[in-house]
Amino acid sequence: MRTWLITGANRGLGWHIANAAIAAGDNVIVTGRNLEKITEAFSGYDAKKVVTLALDIAEEDQIRNVVQSAVAIFGKIDILVNNAGYGQLGPFENNSPADIDNQFSTNVFGMFNMCRAVLPIMRKETHGHIFNIASIAGLVGMPGASVYCASKFAVVGFSESLAQEVADFDIKVTVVSPGSFRTDFLDASSAHFGSADIPEYAEFSRKIRDSSERNNHAQQGDPAKLGSVIEQLALDPQAPTHFVVGSDAVQIASDRLNSRKLELEAWRELATSTDTPNQG
């Protein structure tokens, strides 16, 4: 029987991934910043198999405590799902240094610290699978989301490198890049907008906010289906390092690959002109 540790599980993608793991009969540790909310989200489940713990992944001491508790309760951690995160939106100049620090503390450094705490356990077992939830915004830059995109690009690059570093320990790393799924991501409770007011960006910012409100809970992706897919990938020894999910994300990623290839070929001659002449 497998043991999962899932961050940011009180709602959204994390909640659905946890429910898919529970339905598969696995042991699951679900975490969220507010213990009351995470407990309520999983009330009615067998407390011996579904454990709820408070965790703010921006706090290293809380991460250590949760990981220690997980091992004390179930003896191991087979699957780590780094799902906790949020979107810091708006133009770059509208985002203060504090806004950016908070975004990276959760989306990037919190994920780093979760991996740092769990990897020694997986290395000891010579087994494990880490899922880092990124976004299609980690593959394609988007206006009005420069800070969020930067954080998710970091998740993608880190995951690709980490996968190669831990492969010899039979630990897999999959970075999941979803498109738009019908969650609370665009709610005011999740999406944050820059705190710096710059009049020149007022109209652009209004368009970003209007678009967020229009698309909130109208996204085409079904988070329950994504939860089931993650559970399936956790069983597959051939699970990919990169998993782009959602028809919109697949199309966006495909278009970006094609445009990058065209750009690379258009500038190949100039780019390769920088080589040192062959002295032989």
Side-chain angles (χ1 to χ4, degrees), residues 60-116:
E60 288 188 63
D61 58 335
Q62 291 186 30
I63 289 174
R64 286 192 294 269
N65 290 339
V66 162
V67 171
Q68 289 172 3
S69 295
V71 175
I73 295 167
F74 293 122
K76 60 178 182 174
I77 298 170
D78 298 298
I79 303 159
L80 169 64
V81 180
N82 282 311
N83 173 71
Y86 68 94
Q88 184 67 39
L89 305 178
F92 169 72
E93 286 190 276
N94 280 156
N95 285 278
S96 70
D99 293 333
I100 297 170
D101 286 348
N102 290 335
Q103 177 78 122
F104 275 74
S105 291
T106 297
N107 289 13
V108 180
F109 301 128
M111 176 200 62
F112 285 176
N113 290 329
M114 285 299 303
C115 291
R116 192 187 308 279

Short mmCIF file of all heavy atoms in Angstrom, two decimals, residues 60-116:
data_model
loop_
_atom_site.label_atom_id
_atom_site.label_comp_id
_atom_site.label_asym_id
_atom_site.label_seq_id
_atom_site.Cartn_x
_atom_site.Cartn_y
_atom_site.Cartn_z
N GLU A 60 9.70 26.45 7.06
CA GLU A 60 10.53 25.23 7.05
C GLU A 60 10.29 24.33 8.25
O GLU A 60 10.30 23.10 8.12
CB GLU A 60 12.01 25.61 6.97
CG GLU A 60 12.45 26.15 5.62
CD GLU A 60 13.96 26.31 5.53
OE1 GLU A 60 14.67 25.29 5.63
OE2 GLU A 60 14.41 27.46 5.38
N ASP A 61 10.09 24.92 9.42
CA ASP A 61 9.89 24.09 10.61
C ASP A 61 8.60 23.29 10.51
O ASP A 61 8.53 22.12 10.94
CB ASP A 61 9.89 24.94 11.88
CG ASP A 61 8.84 26.03 11.88
OD1 ASP A 61 8.42 26.46 10.77
OD2 ASP A 61 8.43 26.48 12.97
N GLN A 62 7.57 23.87 9.90
CA GLN A 62 6.33 23.13 9.70
C GLN A 62 6.52 21.98 8.72
O GLN A 62 5.94 20.89 8.90
CB GLN A 62 5.22 24.07 9.22
CG GLN A 62 4.76 25.08 10.25
CD GLN A 62 3.56 25.89 9.77
OE1 GLN A 62 2.74 25.40 8.99
NE2 GLN A 62 3.45 27.12 10.24
N ILE A 63 7.32 22.19 7.70
CA ILE A 63 7.61 21.12 6.74
C ILE A 63 8.28 19.95 7.45
O ILE A 63 7.90 18.80 7.28
CB ILE A 63 8.50 21.65 5.60
CG1 ILE A 63 7.70 22.58 4.68
CG2 ILE A 63 9.09 20.48 4.79
CD1 ILE A 63 8.52 23.26 3.61
N ARG A 64 9.30 20.25 8.25
CA ARG A 64 10.00 19.18 8.98
C ARG A 64 9.05 18.42 9.88
O ARG A 64 9.09 17.18 9.94
CB ARG A 64 11.16 19.78 9.79
CG ARG A 64 12.36 20.20 8.95
CD ARG A 64 13.55 20.51 9.84
NE ARG A 64 13.31 21.69 10.67
CZ ARG A 64 13.62 22.93 10.32
NH1 ARG A 64 14.17 23.16 9.14
NH2 ARG A 64 13.37 23.94 11.13
N ASN A 65 8.18 19.14 10.57
CA ASN A 65 7.25 18.48 11.50
C ASN A 65 6.26 17.58 10.76
O ASN A 65 5.96 16.46 11.22
CB ASN A 65 6.47 19.54 12.30
CG ASN A 65 7.35 20.27 13.31
OD1 ASN A 65 8.41 19.77 13.68
ND2 ASN A 65 6.93 21.45 13.72
N VAL A 66 5.77 18.05 9.63
CA VAL A 66 4.81 17.25 8.86
C VAL A 66 5.47 15.99 8.31
O VAL A 66 4.90 14.90 8.38
CB VAL A 66 4.20 18.09 7.72
CG1 VAL A 66 3.56 17.20 6.66
CG2 VAL A 66 3.16 19.06 8.28
N VAL A 67 6.66 16.11 7.77
CA VAL A 67 7.35 14.95 7.21
C VAL A 67 7.68 13.94 8.31
O VAL A 67 7.50 12.73 8.14
CB VAL A 67 8.62 15.40 6.46
CG1 VAL A 67 9.47 14.18 6.08
CG2 VAL A 67 8.24 16.19 5.21
N GLN A 68 8.13 14.42 9.46
CA GLN A 68 8.39 13.53 10.59
C GLN A 68 7.12 12.82 11.04
O GLN A 68 7.14 11.62 11.34
CB GLN A 68 9.00 14.32 11.74
CG GLN A 68 10.43 14.78 11.49
CD GLN A 68 10.95 15.73 12.56
OE1 GLN A 68 10.26 16.04 13.55
NE2 GLN A 68 12.16 16.24 12.36
N SER A 69 6.01 13.55 11.07
CA SER A 69 4.74 12.94 11.46
C SER A 69 4.31 11.88 10.45
O SER A 69 3.81 10.81 10.83
CB SER A 69 3.65 14.02 11.56
OG SER A 69 3.94 14.94 12.60
N ALA A 70 4.50 12.17 9.17
CA ALA A 70 4.13 11.22 8.12
C ALA A 70 4.87 9.89 8.30
O ALA A 70 4.28 8.81 8.22
CB ALA A 70 4.42 11.81 6.75
N VAL A 71 6.17 9.98 8.54
CA VAL A 71 6.97 8.77 8.73
C VAL A 71 6.59 8.05 10.02
O VAL A 71 6.53 6.82 10.06
CB VAL A 71 8.47 9.11 8.70
CG1 VAL A 71 9.31 7.89 9.02
CG2 VAL A 71 8.86 9.68 7.34
N ALA A 72 6.32 8.81 11.06
CA ALA A 72 5.93 8.20 12.33
C ALA A 72 4.60 7.45 12.20
O ALA A 72 4.40 6.41 12.81
CB ALA A 72 5.81 9.29 13.41
N ILE A 73 3.69 7.98 11.39
CA ILE A 73 2.37 7.36 11.24
C ILE A 73 2.39 6.18 10.28
O ILE A 73 1.87 5.10 10.59
CB ILE A 73 1.35 8.41 10.76
CG1 ILE A 73 1.16 9.50 11.82
CG2 ILE A 73 0.00 7.76 10.45
CD1 ILE A 73 0.42 10.72 11.33
N PHE A 74 3.00 6.36 9.12
CA PHE A 74 2.92 5.33 8.07
C PHE A 74 4.25 4.67 7.75
O PHE A 74 4.31 3.73 6.96
CB PHE A 74 2.33 5.93 6.80
CG PHE A 74 0.89 6.34 6.93
CD1 PHE A 74 0.50 7.65 6.70
CD2 PHE A 74 -0.08 5.41 7.29
CE1 PHE A 74 -0.83 8.03 6.82
CE2 PHE A 74 -1.42 5.78 7.41
CZ PHE A 74 -1.80 7.10 7.17
N GLY A 75 5.34 5.19 8.30
CA GLY A 75 6.64 4.55 8.12
C GLY A 75 7.39 4.93 6.86
O GLY A 75 8.58 4.61 6.72
N LYS A 76 6.73 5.61 5.92
CA LYS A 76 7.38 5.94 4.66
C LYS A 76 6.55 7.00 3.94
O LYS A 76 5.42 7.31 4.32
CB LYS A 76 7.49 4.70 3.77
CG LYS A 76 6.12 4.09 3.44
CD LYS A 76 6.24 2.89 2.52
CE LYS A 76 4.84 2.35 2.18
NZ LYS A 76 4.88 1.28 1.18
N ILE A 77 7.12 7.54 2.87
CA ILE A 77 6.40 8.42 1.94
C ILE A 77 6.76 7.94 0.54
O ILE A 77 7.91 8.03 0.11
CB ILE A 77 6.80 9.90 2.11
CG1 ILE A 77 6.45 10.40 3.52
CG2 ILE A 77 6.10 10.77 1.05
CD1 ILE A 77 7.03 11.77 3.83
N ASP A 78 5.78 7.39 -0.16
CA ASP A 78 6.02 6.88 -1.50
C ASP A 78 5.85 7.96 -2.57
O ASP A 78 6.57 7.97 -3.56
CB ASP A 78 5.05 5.73 -1.82
CG ASP A 78 5.23 4.55 -0.88
OD1 ASP A 78 6.34 3.97 -0.89
OD2 ASP A 78 4.29 4.22 -0.15
N ILE A 79 4.86 8.82 -2.35
CA ILE A 79 4.50 9.80 -3.37
C ILE A 79 4.34 11.16 -2.70
O ILE A 79 3.56 11.32 -1.76
CB ILE A 79 3.19 9.42 -4.09
CG1 ILE A 79 3.33 8.03 -4.71
CG2 ILE A 79 2.83 10.46 -5.15
CD1 ILE A 79 2.02 7.35 -4.99
N LEU A 80 5.08 12.14 -3.20
CA LEU A 80 4.95 13.52 -2.75
C LEU A 80 4.31 14.33 -3.86
O LEU A 80 4.79 14.30 -5.00
CB LEU A 80 6.31 14.10 -2.40
CG LEU A 80 6.38 15.62 -2.16
CD1 LEU A 80 5.56 16.03 -0.95
CD2 LEU A 80 7.83 16.08 -2.03
N VAL A 81 3.25 15.05 -3.55
CA VAL A 81 2.61 15.94 -4.53
C VAL A 81 2.76 17.37 -4.03
O VAL A 81 2.13 17.77 -3.05
CB VAL A 81 1.13 15.61 -4.74
CG1 VAL A 81 0.52 16.56 -5.78
CG2 VAL A 81 0.95 14.16 -5.18
N ASN A 82 3.63 18.11 -4.68
CA ASN A 82 3.83 19.53 -4.34
C ASN A 82 2.81 20.35 -5.12
O ASN A 82 3.07 20.78 -6.25
CB ASN A 82 5.26 19.95 -4.70
CG ASN A 82 6.27 19.49 -3.67
OD1 ASN A 82 6.09 19.66 -2.47
ND2 ASN A 82 7.33 18.87 -4.15
N ASN A 83 1.65 20.54 -4.51
CA ASN A 83 0.55 21.22 -5.18
C ASN A 83 0.32 22.64 -4.65
O ASN A 83 -0.21 23.49 -5.37
CB ASN A 83 -0.73 20.40 -5.01
CG ASN A 83 -1.95 21.13 -5.52
OD1 ASN A 83 -2.13 21.31 -6.72
ND2 ASN A 83 -2.79 21.60 -4.60
N ALA A 84 0.71 22.91 -3.42
CA ALA A 84 0.42 24.22 -2.82
C ALA A 84 1.02 25.35 -3.64
O ALA A 84 2.18 25.28 -4.06
CB ALA A 84 0.95 24.26 -1.38
N GLY A 85 0.23 26.36 -3.88
CA GLY A 85 0.70 27.51 -4.65
C GLY A 85 -0.45 28.43 -4.97
O GLY A 85 -1.61 28.11 -4.73
N TYR A 86 -0.14 29.56 -5.54
CA TYR A 86 -1.16 30.51 -5.94
C TYR A 86 -0.62 31.37 -7.07
O TYR A 86 0.57 31.31 -7.40
CB TYR A 86 -1.61 31.39 -4.76
CG TYR A 86 -0.55 32.36 -4.27
CD1 TYR A 86 -0.52 33.67 -4.75
CD2 TYR A 86 0.40 31.98 -3.33
CE1 TYR A 86 0.45 34.57 -4.30
CE2 TYR A 86 1.36 32.87 -2.89
CZ TYR A 86 1.38 34.16 -3.38
OH TYR A 86 2.34 35.05 -2.95
N GLY A 87 -1.50 32.18 -7.68
CA GLY A 87 -1.09 33.03 -8.79
C GLY A 87 -0.95 34.49 -8.38
O GLY A 87 -1.91 35.09 -7.90
N GLN A 88 0.25 35.02 -8.54
CA GLN A 88 0.50 36.46 -8.35
C GLN A 88 0.39 37.10 -9.72
O GLN A 88 1.26 36.91 -10.57
CB GLN A 88 1.88 36.69 -7.73
CG GLN A 88 2.18 38.14 -7.40
CD GLN A 88 1.31 38.68 -6.27
OE1 GLN A 88 1.03 37.98 -5.29
NE2 GLN A 88 0.86 39.91 -6.41
N LEU A 89 -0.69 37.85 -9.94
CA LEU A 89 -1.01 38.33 -11.28
C LEU A 89 -0.82 39.84 -11.40
O LEU A 89 -0.50 40.52 -10.44
CB LEU A 89 -2.45 37.94 -11.63
CG LEU A 89 -2.77 36.44 -11.50
CD1 LEU A 89 -4.24 36.19 -11.84
CD2 LEU A 89 -1.86 35.60 -12.38
N GLY A 90 -1.01 40.31 -12.62
CA GLY A 90 -0.82 41.73 -12.91
C GLY A 90 0.53 41.99 -13.54
O GLY A 90 1.43 41.14 -13.50
N PRO A 91 0.71 43.16 -14.15
CA PRO A 91 2.00 43.51 -14.76
C PRO A 91 3.14 43.46 -13.75
O PRO A 91 2.93 43.72 -12.55
CB PRO A 91 1.78 44.94 -15.28
CG PRO A 91 0.32 45.11 -15.34
CD PRO A 91 -0.27 44.25 -14.27
N PHE A 92 4.33 43.16 -14.23
CA PHE A 92 5.50 43.07 -13.35
C PHE A 92 5.66 44.31 -12.47
O PHE A 92 5.87 44.22 -11.27
CB PHE A 92 6.76 42.85 -14.17
CG PHE A 92 8.02 43.00 -13.37
CD1 PHE A 92 8.39 42.04 -12.43
CD2 PHE A 92 8.84 44.11 -13.53
CE1 PHE A 92 9.54 42.19 -11.66
CE2 PHE A 92 9.99 44.26 -12.78
CZ PHE A 92 10.34 43.30 -11.85
N GLU A 93 5.55 45.51 -13.08
CA GLU A 93 5.79 46.74 -12.32
C GLU A 93 4.73 46.99 -11.25
O GLU A 93 4.96 47.78 -10.34
CB GLU A 93 5.88 47.93 -13.26
CG GLU A 93 7.17 47.99 -14.07
CD GLU A 93 7.32 49.31 -14.79
OE1 GLU A 93 6.77 49.44 -15.90
OE2 GLU A 93 8.00 50.20 -14.23
N ASN A 94 3.58 46.36 -11.37
CA ASN A 94 2.55 46.48 -10.34
C ASN A 94 2.83 45.60 -9.13
O ASN A 94 2.15 45.71 -8.11
CB ASN A 94 1.17 46.12 -10.90
CG ASN A 94 0.54 47.25 -11.69
OD1 ASN A 94 -0.31 47.00 -12.54
ND2 ASN A 94 0.94 48.49 -11.44
N ASN A 95 3.79 44.70 -9.27
CA ASN A 95 4.11 43.77 -8.19
C ASN A 95 5.31 44.27 -7.39
O ASN A 95 6.40 44.44 -7.94
CB ASN A 95 4.38 42.38 -8.75
CG ASN A 95 3.12 41.68 -9.19
OD1 ASN A 95 2.41 41.09 -8.39
ND2 ASN A 95 2.80 41.75 -10.48
N SER A 96 5.09 44.48 -6.10
CA SER A 96 6.15 44.98 -5.23
C SER A 96 7.15 43.87 -4.93
O SER A 96 6.86 42.68 -5.14
CB SER A 96 5.55 45.47 -3.91
OG SER A 96 5.06 44.38 -3.15
N PRO A 97 8.33 44.21 -4.42
CA PRO A 97 9.28 43.17 -4.01
C PRO A 97 8.66 42.19 -3.01
O PRO A 97 8.94 40.98 -3.08
CB PRO A 97 10.42 43.97 -3.38
CG PRO A 97 10.41 45.27 -4.12
CD PRO A 97 8.95 45.56 -4.35
N ALA A 98 7.80 42.69 -2.11
CA ALA A 98 7.16 41.80 -1.14
C ALA A 98 6.21 40.83 -1.84
O ALA A 98 6.13 39.64 -1.48
CB ALA A 98 6.41 42.62 -0.09
N ASP A 99 5.46 41.33 -2.84
CA ASP A 99 4.58 40.46 -3.61
C ASP A 99 5.37 39.32 -4.25
O ASP A 99 4.96 38.15 -4.22
CB ASP A 99 3.89 41.25 -4.73
CG ASP A 99 2.90 42.29 -4.24
OD1 ASP A 99 2.35 42.11 -3.14
OD2 ASP A 99 2.70 43.29 -4.97
N ILE A 100 6.51 39.67 -4.83
CA ILE A 100 7.33 38.68 -5.54
C ILE A 100 7.98 37.71 -4.55
O ILE A 100 8.01 36.49 -4.80
CB ILE A 100 8.39 39.39 -6.40
CG1 ILE A 100 7.69 40.24 -7.48
CG2 ILE A 100 9.34 38.39 -7.04
CD1 ILE A 100 8.60 41.18 -8.23
N ASP A 101 8.47 38.22 -3.43
CA ASP A 101 9.05 37.34 -2.41
C ASP A 101 8.04 36.31 -1.94
O ASP A 101 8.35 35.12 -1.78
CB ASP A 101 9.54 38.17 -1.22
CG ASP A 101 10.82 38.93 -1.52
OD1 ASP A 101 11.46 38.65 -2.56
OD2 ASP A 101 11.18 39.82 -0.72
N ASN A 102 6.81 36.76 -1.69
CA ASN A 102 5.77 35.84 -1.22
C ASN A 102 5.44 34.78 -2.26
O ASN A 102 5.22 33.61 -1.93
CB ASN A 102 4.51 36.62 -0.85
CG ASN A 102 4.68 37.46 0.40
OD1 ASN A 102 5.53 37.17 1.25
ND2 ASN A 102 3.90 38.51 0.53
N GLN A 103 5.40 35.20 -3.55
CA GLN A 103 5.12 34.25 -4.61
C GLN A 103 6.17 33.15 -4.66
O GLN A 103 5.86 31.96 -4.72
CB GLN A 103 5.04 34.97 -5.96
CG GLN A 103 4.83 34.07 -7.15
CD GLN A 103 3.41 33.59 -7.32
OE1 GLN A 103 2.78 33.81 -8.34
NE2 GLN A 103 2.87 32.91 -6.33
N PHE A 104 7.43 33.54 -4.62
CA PHE A 104 8.51 32.56 -4.71
C PHE A 104 8.66 31.75 -3.43
O PHE A 104 9.03 30.57 -3.48
CB PHE A 104 9.82 33.24 -5.10
CG PHE A 104 9.98 33.39 -6.59
CD1 PHE A 104 9.24 34.34 -7.29
CD2 PHE A 104 10.83 32.57 -7.30
CE1 PHE A 104 9.35 34.48 -8.66
CE2 PHE A 104 10.96 32.69 -8.68
CZ PHE A 104 10.22 33.65 -9.37
N SER A 105 8.33 32.34 -2.29
CA SER A 105 8.41 31.59 -1.02
C SER A 105 7.48 30.39 -1.03
O SER A 105 7.80 29.33 -0.49
CB SER A 105 8.06 32.51 0.16
OG SER A 105 9.08 33.46 0.35
N THR A 106 6.32 30.55 -1.66
CA THR A 106 5.35 29.46 -1.73
C THR A 106 5.59 28.58 -2.94
O THR A 106 5.82 27.37 -2.82
CB THR A 106 3.91 30.02 -1.76
OG1 THR A 106 3.66 30.73 -0.54
CG2 THR A 106 2.90 28.90 -1.91
N ASN A 107 5.55 29.16 -4.13
CA ASN A 107 5.57 28.36 -5.36
C ASN A 107 6.91 27.69 -5.63
O ASN A 107 6.96 26.63 -6.25
CB ASN A 107 5.22 29.23 -6.57
CG ASN A 107 3.76 29.64 -6.61
OD1 ASN A 107 3.03 29.48 -5.63
ND2 ASN A 107 3.33 30.19 -7.72
N VAL A 108 8.00 28.30 -5.17
CA VAL A 108 9.33 27.77 -5.50
C VAL A 108 10.06 27.27 -4.25
O VAL A 108 10.36 26.07 -4.14
CB VAL A 108 10.17 28.83 -6.22
CG1 VAL A 108 11.56 28.27 -6.56
CG2 VAL A 108 9.47 29.31 -7.49
N PHE A 109 10.35 28.15 -3.32
CA PHE A 109 11.16 27.75 -2.17
C PHE A 109 10.43 26.75 -1.28
O PHE A 109 11.05 25.85 -0.70
CB PHE A 109 11.61 28.98 -1.38
CG PHE A 109 12.42 29.94 -2.21
CD1 PHE A 109 12.11 31.28 -2.28
CD2 PHE A 109 13.49 29.49 -2.97
CE1 PHE A 109 12.83 32.16 -3.06
CE2 PHE A 109 14.23 30.35 -3.76
CZ PHE A 109 13.90 31.70 -3.81
N GLY A 110 9.11 26.89 -1.16
CA GLY A 110 8.35 25.90 -0.40
C GLY A 110 8.46 24.52 -1.02
O GLY A 110 8.63 23.52 -0.33
N MET A 111 8.37 24.46 -2.35
CA MET A 111 8.53 23.20 -3.07
C MET A 111 9.94 22.64 -2.88
O MET A 111 10.13 21.44 -2.64
CB MET A 111 8.24 23.41 -4.55
CG MET A 111 8.47 22.19 -5.41
SD MET A 111 8.67 22.60 -7.16
CE MET A 111 10.13 23.63 -7.13
N PHE A 112 10.96 23.53 -2.98
CA PHE A 112 12.33 23.10 -2.73
C PHE A 112 12.44 22.42 -1.37
O PHE A 112 13.03 21.34 -1.22
CB PHE A 112 13.29 24.29 -2.75
CG PHE A 112 13.61 24.85 -4.10
CD1 PHE A 112 14.40 25.99 -4.21
CD2 PHE A 112 13.14 24.27 -5.28
CE1 PHE A 112 14.71 26.53 -5.46
CE2 PHE A 112 13.45 24.80 -6.52
CZ PHE A 112 14.23 25.94 -6.61
N ASN A 113 11.91 23.08 -0.35
CA ASN A 113 12.05 22.58 1.02
C ASN A 113 11.27 21.29 1.26
O ASN A 113 11.69 20.45 2.05
CB ASN A 113 11.64 23.67 2.01
CG ASN A 113 12.65 24.80 2.05
OD1 ASN A 113 13.85 24.60 1.83
ND2 ASN A 113 12.18 26.01 2.32
N MET A 114 10.13 21.15 0.58
CA MET A 114 9.41 19.88 0.68
C MET A 114 10.26 18.75 0.09
O MET A 114 10.39 17.67 0.70
CB MET A 114 8.09 19.96 -0.08
CG MET A 114 6.99 20.76 0.61
SD MET A 114 6.48 20.10 2.23
CE MET A 114 6.00 18.43 1.81
N CYS A 115 10.85 18.98 -1.07
CA CYS A 115 11.71 17.96 -1.68
C CYS A 115 12.92 17.66 -0.80
O CYS A 115 13.31 16.50 -0.63
CB CYS A 115 12.16 18.42 -3.07
SG CYS A 115 10.85 18.47 -4.31
N ARG A 116 13.50 18.71 -0.24
CA ARG A 116 14.68 18.53 0.61
C ARG A 116 14.35 17.66 1.83
O ARG A 116 15.18 16.86 2.29
CB ARG A 116 15.20 19.89 1.07
CG ARG A 116 16.59 19.83 1.71
CD ARG A 116 16.98 21.17 2.31
NE ARG A 116 16.84 22.27 1.35
CZ ARG A 116 17.73 22.56 0.41
NH1 ARG A 116 18.82 21.83 0.29
NH2 ARG A 116 17.52 23.58 -0.42
#
